[in-house]
């Protein structure tokens, strides 16, 4: 059996068990034989368990069995499919890829957004992370006249708004985030490093909107009033994991978030124009108003 075919079976199996929450092998086969992939042939117990092992090795998603409940199968670490994890991203990407692969006759009617892969730079960073080796990067930030070279420990990478970012730690224990598309050169050094045992990548960005982390800032309560169709967008695609809806009327809805209002978050609010009003904190509202006023003044000129 070819690798693409196996991938489709893995994806189908994970999605089926995840949606069912708990399901027996016979129930899985009832659904499986209804698909075009099955050819009307059920999963043998041997094939099913081979798939379980492969799914755990490839995606880090393990299928467990509740023997006390009629040998029902379930996703043992289902939380990874509910958050911004590598497992969730890989499964979603492969699911879409599989669907598009079956729809090549519609290639001129399916329009995609270009997402840079990171190319060779991403490969080098991941290699250094795997081998716990330091990096030397030559970086030129926007607006800078000259490039600068930094030696750092590659702690993690993050995909945000179609760009890959590298979080690095310096010898003085300071941390900084670098956009891969602005790195001009990467050298994997011979020197090894040991990652801080207390470091957790998800927790590091937990209080931020995107990739900007300001250690000097404290997270605060932000209340947003959304008008028109904006509440629907915010419900479907929350700005932050802390977001919750606290009030809803026919005219508007209010949402509360707890995060650090960094520049990338402010830019997101600014981009929503008239559909967003900042209720709290007052200082943030005043800053957004000031940015809007500057934009108006440019048009007046």
């Amino acid at each position: 059996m070819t690798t693409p075919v196996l991938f489709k079976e893995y994806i189908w199996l994970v999605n089926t068990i995840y949606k069912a929450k708990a399901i027996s092998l016979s129930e899985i086969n009832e659904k499986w034989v209804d698909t075009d992939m099955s050819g009307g042939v059920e999963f043998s117990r041997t094939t099913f368990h081979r798939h379980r092992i492969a799914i755990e090795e490839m995606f880090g998603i393990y299928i467990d069995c509740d023997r006390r409940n009629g040998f029902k199968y379930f996703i043992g670490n289902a939380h990874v499919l509910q958050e911004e994890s590598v497992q969730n991203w890989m499964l979603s990407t492969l699911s879409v890829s599989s669907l598009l692969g079956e729809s090549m006759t519609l290639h001129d009617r399916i329009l995609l957004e270009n997402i840079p892969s990171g190319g060779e730079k991403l490969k080098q960073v991941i290699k250094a992370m795997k081998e716990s080796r330091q990096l030397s990067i030559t970086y030129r930030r926007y607006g800078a006249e000259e490039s600068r070279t930094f030696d750092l420990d590659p702690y993690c990478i993050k995909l945000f708004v179609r760009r890959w970012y590298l979080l690095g730690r310096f010898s003085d224990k300071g941390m900084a985030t670098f956009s891969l598309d602005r790195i001009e050169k990467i050298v994997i050094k011979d020197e090894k490093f040991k990652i801080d045992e207390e470091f957790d990548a998800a927790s590091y960005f937990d209080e931020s909107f995107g990739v900007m982390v300001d250690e000097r800032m404290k997270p605060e309560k932000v209340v947003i009033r959304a008008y028109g169709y904006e509440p629907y967008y915010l419900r479907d695609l929350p700005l932050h994991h802390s977001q919750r809806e606290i009030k809803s009327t026919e005219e508007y809805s209010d949402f509360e978030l707890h995060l650090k209002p960094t520049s990338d978050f402010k830019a997101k609010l600014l981009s929503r124009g008239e559909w967003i009003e900042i209720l709290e904190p007052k200082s943030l509202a005043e800053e957004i108003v000031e940015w809007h006023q500057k934009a108006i003044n440019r048009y007046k000129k």
Side-chain angles (χ1 to χ4, degrees):
M1 191 177 294
T2 64
T3 300
V5 172
L6 284 173
F7 270 134
K8 290 179 183 179
E9 292 188 6
Y10 299 157
I11 293 165
W12 181 90
L13 194 56
V14 171
N15 285 331
T16 299
I17 297 174
Y18 180 66
K19 289 176 183 176
K21 293 186 171 58
I23 186 171
S24 67
L25 180 55
S26 61
E27 290 169 332
I28 290 172
N29 272 321
E30 285 179 13
K31 296 178 181 295
W32 171 246
V33 294
D34 286 337
T35 69
D36 292 335
M37 292 183 288
S38 71
V41 179
E42 293 186 350
F43 280 128
S44 69
R45 189 167 294 276
T46 301
T47 298
F48 173 71
H49 288 299
R50 275 204 306 263
H51 282 16
R52 284 179 64 192
I53 295 170
I55 288 168
E56 183 170 355
E57 290 178 347
M58 298 181 71
F59 302 113
I61 299 169
Y62 64 88
I63 299 170
D64 209 342
C65 180
D66 186 353
R67 291 174 172 78
R68 294 175 296 181
N69 185 29
F71 286 86
K72 298 277 187 176
Y73 292 94
F74 62 96
I75 305 298
N77 56 341
H79 65 278
V80 301
L81 299 177
Q82 302 167 347
E83 56 190 34
E84 295 180 354
S85 65
V86 173
Q87 292 94 332
N88 193 9
W89 183 80
M90 285 179 63
L91 191 66
S92 298
T93 301
L94 288 171
S95 296
V96 172
S97 177
S98 176
L99 178 61
L100 294 178
E102 297 170 358
S103 312
M104 290 307 292
T105 55
L106 301 175
H107 68 91
D108 57 341
R109 293 165 57 192
I110 300 175
L111 306 180
L112 303 176
E113 185 177 20
N114 180 41
I115 299 179
S117 65
E120 189 61 32
K121 296 174 186 175
L122 185 59
K123 290 180 183 178
Q124 287 180 286
V125 171
I126 291 177
K127 176 179 172 63
M129 290 170 62
K130 284 182 177 179
E131 298 176 359
S132 298
R133 292 168 63 185
Q134 295 180 343
L135 287 177
S136 176
I137 66 169
T138 301
Y139 190 79
R140 185 170 184 175
R141 60 183 179 82
Y142 288 144
E145 294 183 0
E146 296 181 353
S147 306
R148 294 182 61 190
T149 300
F150 303 93
D151 291 338
L152 51 81
D153 303 336
Y155 260 47
C156 79
I157 51 176
K158 181 178 173 70
L159 180 63
F160 179 68
V161 192
R162 299 172 55 209
R163 279 182 172 168
W164 285 101
Y165 292 86
L166 162 66
L167 175 66
R169 186 172 189 175
F170 304 114
S171 57
D172 63 0
K173 308 304 180 185
M175 306 280 272
T177 306
F178 301 89
S179 174
L180 258 61
D181 59 2
R182 276 170 266 158
I183 296 178
E184 298 176 344
K185 182 180 179 182
I186 297 180
V187 175
I188 300 177
K189 303 177 68 177
D190 293 331
E191 290 83 354
K192 294 271 190 172
F193 76 93
K194 186 176 182 181
I195 195 166
D196 187 342
E197 294 180 357
E198 296 182 0
F199 174 78
D200 179 85
S203 297
Y204 183 81
F205 291 100
D206 188 59
E207 297 171 341
S208 299
F209 167 69
V211 294
M212 290 187 175
V213 177
D214 191 336
E215 300 290 353
R216 299 165 298 179
M217 295 180 70
K218 291 184 178 181
E220 53 186 306
K221 181 174 77 171
V222 176
V223 180
I224 298 169
R225 178 160 291 175
Y227 297 91
Y229 291 112
E230 195 66 21
Y232 296 104
Y233 292 114
L234 290 176
R235 290 177 192 130
D236 288 343
L237 295 172
L239 294 176
H240 190 255
H241 65 83
S242 66
Q243 178 182 301
R244 66 187 185 94
E245 190 168 355
I246 57 175
K247 184 178 182 180
S248 181
T249 70
E250 292 184 359
E251 183 184 358
Y252 61 81
S253 292
D254 293 345
F255 297 86
E256 180 182 305
L257 305 88
H258 287 264
L259 77 170
K260 296 179 180 180
T262 48
S263 296
D264 51 358
F265 177 62
K266 295 172 187 175
K268 179 64 177 179
L269 298 178
L270 194 69
S271 72
R272 303 316 301 150
E274 64 177 300
W275 308 113
I276 286 290
E277 178 186 359
I278 312 302
L279 303 183
E280 295 181 45
K282 185 179 179 181
S283 58
L284 177 59
E286 291 173 345
E287 191 170 359
I288 296 299
V289 169
E290 182 181 349
W291 286 11
H292 277 301
Q293 190 59 56
K294 287 180 178 179
I296 292 171
N297 292 339
R298 288 186 188 277
Y299 281 104
K300 286 182 177 179
K301 291 179 181 180

